[in-house]
Amino acid sequence: MKILMVCLGNICRSPIAHGVMDDLIKKEGLDWEVDSAGTGGYHIGQHPDLRSIATAKKYGIDISPHKARKFIPADFKRFDQIFVMDNNNYSAVVSLAKDAKERAKVKLFIPENQVQDPYFDDALFEPVFEQITTQCEKLLKHLKKENE
Ligand code: 4NP
């Protein structure tokens, strides 16, 4: 199973989702792959936002080595599941899909909900981290069942 987490900048939300999912996958001993990317190119090559790094570190997860990259159409081939953090990310990624099969790989990370962008509000990093962790746990269970 190859999973891609996507947000706008690939410095706040998706690196957290990437790090948390990777941690859960390793704890479960699964041979799965996770990566993350952004729909925007503003922060390419940068490490995650220091507030995301600090919040993840509090929970024992080191996301500091990640470097932001932009989502590219080749990601549709490389990944089985593409999880986007909000509706804008959804539109941006789906607009690059070349057919229904690629479009079908793109899903909101939290069905019927969005992960709010915490970039302009320091107080959002903790709740966003908790929201992402809860959803990663649910998602892992769901994908494990689907993969049986
Ligand atoms: P992210 O947060 O999409 O969760 O990585 C953002 C980071 C940077 C910007 C927007 C959102 N920005 O506009 O620079």
Side-chain angles (χ1 to χ4, degrees):
M1 173 72 63
K2 291 181 181 165
I3 301 163
L4 183 66
M5 303 294 191
V6 177
C7 62
L8 173 61
N10 191 213
I11 56 166
C12 296
R13 292 164 291 176
S14 61
I16 292 176
H18 174 181
V20 169
M21 200 62 171
D22 205 31
D23 184 60
L24 291 173
I25 283 169
K26 291 208 168 85
K27 280 178 182 157
E28 293 265 340
L30 294 163
D31 183 24
W32 291 7
E33 184 186 326
V34 195
D35 192 16
S36 59
T39 57
Y42 323 103
H43 298 280
I44 291 173
Q46 291 178 15
H47 293 283
D49 188 286
L50 292 175
R51 297 163 295 178
S52 281
I53 292 176
T55 310
K57 197 175 169 192
K58 256 177 66 181
Y59 294 89
I61 296 171
D62 180 15
I63 63 167
S64 65
H66 181 72
K67 283 191 181 162
R69 73 168 181 92
K70 197 170 174 188
F71 180 89
I72 52 169
D75 287 322
F76 284 115
K77 288 212 165 44
R78 192 177 144 204
F79 295 95
D80 305 305
Q81 306 263 359
I82 298 166
F83 292 107
V84 296
M85 297 294 135
D86 64 33
N87 293 337
N88 289 332
N89 310 149
Y90 183 86
S91 306
V93 173
V94 160
S95 74
L96 298 172
K98 71 170 175 11
D99 56 29
K101 193 180 160 208
E102 290 190 350
R103 269 193 298 280
K105 291 187 177 188
V106 191
K107 287 162 200 144
L108 268 182
F109 173 64
I110 304 180
E112 314 301 330
N113 206 349
Q114 304 185 65
V115 181
Q116 206 181 338
D117 182 357
Y119 190 62
F120 296 105
D121 187 348
D122 295 352
L124 282 179
F125 280 83
E126 186 78 30
V128 158
F129 184 89
E130 285 171 16
Q131 188 185 29
I132 288 175
T133 300
T134 302
Q135 185 59 22
C136 279
E137 286 164 356
K138 274 191 199 160
L139 196 55
L140 184 71
K141 270 191 200 143
H142 174 76
L143 292 175
K144 265 175 73 178
K145 252 196 196 140
E146 213 179 61
N147 236 29
E148 271 171 9

